[in-house]
């Protein structure tokens, strides 16, 4: 009998190593190596067989017949936008997110919506009992929906169930970490099990034409394998995000072989499940305090969608030797850069002041286009003069203090106009922006500072 070899597999990145060490050489995470049997997972070399000679495959040209991927739309517009127009048949999706963020809720609502449209849906939960899922379905008003439910974790049993009946349109597996297959003999939740189970389910999707949705918990560290190893196996990866204490949730595409990767879907968690938010700007601007110094509305973009959001700055005299800088919803390094540019190029001194920056509503901005809006908020708070309440701001700052143009200016202006804003402060652009707003253009931050500090 062949002696079974063991190897150590990093539960974070999936790298293997012949001996244990405290830190993974590949990804640098600590305490992630777990002993697993080698040569038993899917993809392991067949031991007892001799190698077969390959057969040539036909090569085709790049130009040729094109087929639109057949899709099933859920009718939940925010979800369909993110997937690129609905679930593609025979594809596999991974929906990741922190525990408790609402993944099961979203997928239960999607299942119910599809079932109501006449599609057959199977929802397999490895985390909750049938009674619990029914309770959630009742809360979501989805009881009448024709969804096949099972609480099961064995991949073999799930596949046998799916193959016994007619092929469903959509299969939800909640969650991938709870699945286990007899093809791999390590413990459930380990990378080998997660990878082997996902592979078996993806193979089923390709063969049958059903869409598979895998739910994956994202854990910072810990025993359960992160869904990272599954990301390159699936056709699309969606992340469901939200801030603790806030009700809105953002569904973001990270990878999509069949559609755009920069779209977001916005939802609000209510007591009856997730509600679509068709106009996120209204949500983020709903609690605005218009007359306070340091508040500014930034005209941002998420993919192809404009999002208006309020940025608040508080600049207060500091009692500390090293003043505090605290940021929520924006990049810390970016704030330091804007502060340094204001100090060095515009002569605005923040050295004796604490600086706090907050993006309202728990939203997170990742665009450099927010630089000028942030600078305006900081200066406004420092000099104690409120900015015009009916204005939006956008523009990127360079280290020289110049304000640089950013992409999608027309879309930003259109959204601001739609929401009733009258003014825009933006970078100078060559061909001039066409809009009904009163436009003030800046070519550097010094002009902007003079304007805020000078006039009221
Ligand atoms: P859930 O979908 O179970 O999260 P996940 O599957 O990502 O772990 O959602 C959990 C949270 O959502 C829970 O804290 C309760 C809340 N919730 C609502 O606020 N309203 C609802 O209608 C439902 C079903 C859940
Ligand atoms: Mg869940």
């Amino acid at each position: 009998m062949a002696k079974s070899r063991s190897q150590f597999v990093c539960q974070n990145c999936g790298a293997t190593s012949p001996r244990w060490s405290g830190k993974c050489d590949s990804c640098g995470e600590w305490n992630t190596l777990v002993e697993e049997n080698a040569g038993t997972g899917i993809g392991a070399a067949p031991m007892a067989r001799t190698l077969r000679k390959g057969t040539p495959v036909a090569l085709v040209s790049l130009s040729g017949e094109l087929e639109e991927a057949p899709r099933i739309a859920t009718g939940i517009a925010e979800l369909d936008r993110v997937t690129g127009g609905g679930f593609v048949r025979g594809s596999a999706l991974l929906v990741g997110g922190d525990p408790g963020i609402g993944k099961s809720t979203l997928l239960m609502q999607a299942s119910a919506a599809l079932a109501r449209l006449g599609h057959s849906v199977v929802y397999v939960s490895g985390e909750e009992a049938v009674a619990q899922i029914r309770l959630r379905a009742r809360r979501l008003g989805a009881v009448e929906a024709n969804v096949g439910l099972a609480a099961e974790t064995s991949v073999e049993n799930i596949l046998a169930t799916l193959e016994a009946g007619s092929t469903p349109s959509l299969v939800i597996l909640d969650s991938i970490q709870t699945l286990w297959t007899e093809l791999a003999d390590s413990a459930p939740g380990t990378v080998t099990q997660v990878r082997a189970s996902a592979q078996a389910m993806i193979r089923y999707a390709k063969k049958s034409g059903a869409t598979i949705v895998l739910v994956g918990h994202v854990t910072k560290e810990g025993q359960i394998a992160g869904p990272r190893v599954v990301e390159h196996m699936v056709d699309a990866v969606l992340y469901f995000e939200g801030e603790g204490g806030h009700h809105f949730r953002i569904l973001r595409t990270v990878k999509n072989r069949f559609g755009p990767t920069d779209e977001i879907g916005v939802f609000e968690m209510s007591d009856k499940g997730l509600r679509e938010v068709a106009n996120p700007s209204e949500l983020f601007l709903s609690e605005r305090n218009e007359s306070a110094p340091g508040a500014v509305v930034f005209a941002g973009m998420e993919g192809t969608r404009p999002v208006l959001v309020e940025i608040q700055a508080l600049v207060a005299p500091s009692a500390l030797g090293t003043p505090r800088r605290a940021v929520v919803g924006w990049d810390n390094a970016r704030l330091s850069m804007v502060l340094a540019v204001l100090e060095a190029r515009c002569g605005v001194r923040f050295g004796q002041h604490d600086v706090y920056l907050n993006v309202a509503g728990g939203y997170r901005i990742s665009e450099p286009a927010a630089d000028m809006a942030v600078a305006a908020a900081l200066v406004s708070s420092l000099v104690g003069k409120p900015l015009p309440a009916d204005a939006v701001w956008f523009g990127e700052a360079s280290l020289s203090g110049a304000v640089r143009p950013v992409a999608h200016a027309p879309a930003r202006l259109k959204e601001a106009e739609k929401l009733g804003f009258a003014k825009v402060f933006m970078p100078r652009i060559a061909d001039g922006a066409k809009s009904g707003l009163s436009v003030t253009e800046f070519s550097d931050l010094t002009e902007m500072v003079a304007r805020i500090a000078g006039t009221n």
Side-chain angles (χ1 to χ4, degrees):
M1 202 180 90
K3 195 164 160 272
S4 86
R5 285 175 302 130
S6 73
Q7 61 182 3
F8 293 86
V9 183
C10 171
Q11 304 297 301
N12 185 50
C13 68
T16 58
S17 137
R19 68 192 75 78
W20 189 85
S21 72
K23 183 179 176 185
C24 171
D25 287 336
S26 177
C27 65
E29 281 292 312
W30 289 89
N31 284 328
T32 54
L33 264 65
V34 167
E35 185 171 9
E36 293 182 19
N37 274 341
T40 49
I42 287 184
M47 301 241 194
R49 259 192 283 149
T50 50
L51 275 180
R52 177 179 73 90
K53 203 160 171 280
T55 45
V57 294
L59 299 174
V60 295
S61 72
L62 265 178
S63 61
E65 280 289 297
L66 282 182
E67 263 179 54
E68 262 300 302
R71 290 179 185 272
I72 40 173
T74 58
I76 302 176
E78 295 294 303
L79 176 61
D80 290 341
R81 185 207 328 275
V82 173
T83 52
F87 295 122
V88 174
R89 285 186 193 274
S91 72
L93 279 88
L94 176 68
V95 177
D98 293 331
I101 206 74
K103 302 181 292 297
S104 305
T105 308
L106 175 71
L107 291 169
M108 175 54 74
Q109 286 183 253
S111 303
L114 279 177
R116 273 189 217 116
L117 293 173
H119 296 284
S120 62
V121 181
V122 172
Y123 191 109
V124 183
S125 177
E127 308 207 322
E128 291 158 301
V130 167
Q132 260 175 305
I133 307 170
R134 284 195 182 136
L135 211 63
R136 178 182 297 116
R138 183 176 307 162
R139 193 167 166 188
L140 300 174
V143 271
E144 80 282 11
N146 181 20
V147 178
L149 209 61
E152 182 56 64
T153 55
S154 155
V155 170
E156 281 72 29
N157 289 355
I158 295 170
L159 286 175
T161 314
L162 294 175
E163 277 156 6
S166 61
T167 305
S169 301
L170 180 70
V171 180
I172 315 259
L173 298 161
D174 187 2
S175 69
I176 183 70
Q177 277 98 357
T178 57
L179 295 188
W180 64 280
T181 166
E182 278 152 29
L183 285 170
D185 64 1
S186 35
T190 56
V191 169
T192 308
Q193 274 292 356
V194 167
R195 197 194 284 141
S197 304
Q199 213 149 36
M201 294 313 306
I202 292 168
R203 199 176 311 125
Y204 169 77
K206 303 283 173 223
K207 201 172 70 193
S208 67
T211 305
I212 300 278
V213 176
L214 304 169
V215 176
H217 291 300
V218 184
T219 49
K220 284 257 156 53
E221 70 282 311
Q223 301 307 102
I224 300 179
R228 297 256 151 200
V229 288
V230 186
E231 283 188 7
H232 65 266
M233 295 162 55
V234 295
D235 298 302
V237 179
L238 310 180
Y239 268 88
F240 206 34
E241 307 169 345
E243 282 286 325
H246 291 287
H247 290 301
F248 79 91
R249 302 279 182 268
I250 291 180
L251 188 64
R252 205 181 279 280
T253 336
V254 180
K255 157 179 173 178
N256 195 349
R257 289 188 182 144
F258 301 106
T261 52
D262 53 2
E263 289 293 354
I264 60 163
V266 184
F267 298 89
E268 197 177 359
M269 182 64 96
S270 70
D271 56 349
K272 290 195 178 58
L274 293 157
R275 203 175 58 74
E276 293 179 62
V277 178
N279 194 340
S281 303
E282 273 169 16
L283 178 75
F284 296 132
L285 294 178
S286 59
E287 291 153 21
R288 200 150 72 94
N289 179 2
E290 295 183 350
S291 59
V296 62
V297 176
F298 165 54
M301 293 294 292
E302 275 290 349
T304 55
R305 249 175 136 184
V307 176
L308 266 49
V309 54
E310 188 188 41
I311 297 176
Q312 303 152 351
L314 176 63
V315 179
S318 179
L320 305 169
T322 313
R324 285 198 57 138
R325 269 93 181 92
V327 193
V328 179
W330 205 46
D331 185 20
N332 219 329
R334 202 88 205 165
L335 172 67
S336 304
M337 191 202 91
V338 171
L339 287 171
V341 171
L342 284 173
E343 292 229 8
R345 308 288 177 201
C346 316
V348 187
R349 300 274 169 254
F350 293 99
Q352 306 294 317
H353 290 83
D354 290 333
V355 174
Y356 301 90
L357 192 79
N358 178 40
V359 177
Y363 183 71
R364 214 190 141 71
I365 300 175
S366 50
E367 271 190 296
D371 291 350
M372 194 169 74
V374 169
L378 292 170
V379 175
S380 153
S381 177
L382 181 71
V383 301
K385 287 187 182 173
L387 297 166
D390 57 350
V392 298
W393 297 69
F394 65 89
E396 185 179 340
S398 73
L399 288 180
S400 67
V403 175
R404 285 204 295 241
V406 295
H408 305 297
R412 297 175 202 263
L413 294 175
K414 217 168 116 201
E415 176 79 356
E417 207 175 340
K418 202 171 92 191
L419 287 171
F421 286 88
K423 299 191 185 95
V424 57
F425 295 91
M426 58 185 276
R428 187 150 290 148
I429 47 177
D431 48 357
K434 308 253 180 308
S435 89
L437 302 173
S438 123
V439 179
T440 308
E441 293 178 329
F442 295 120
S443 55
D444 61 54
L445 288 181
T446 317
E447 273 176 50
M448 184 205 80
V449 172
R451 169 106 184 195
I452 298 172
T455 60
N456 203 344

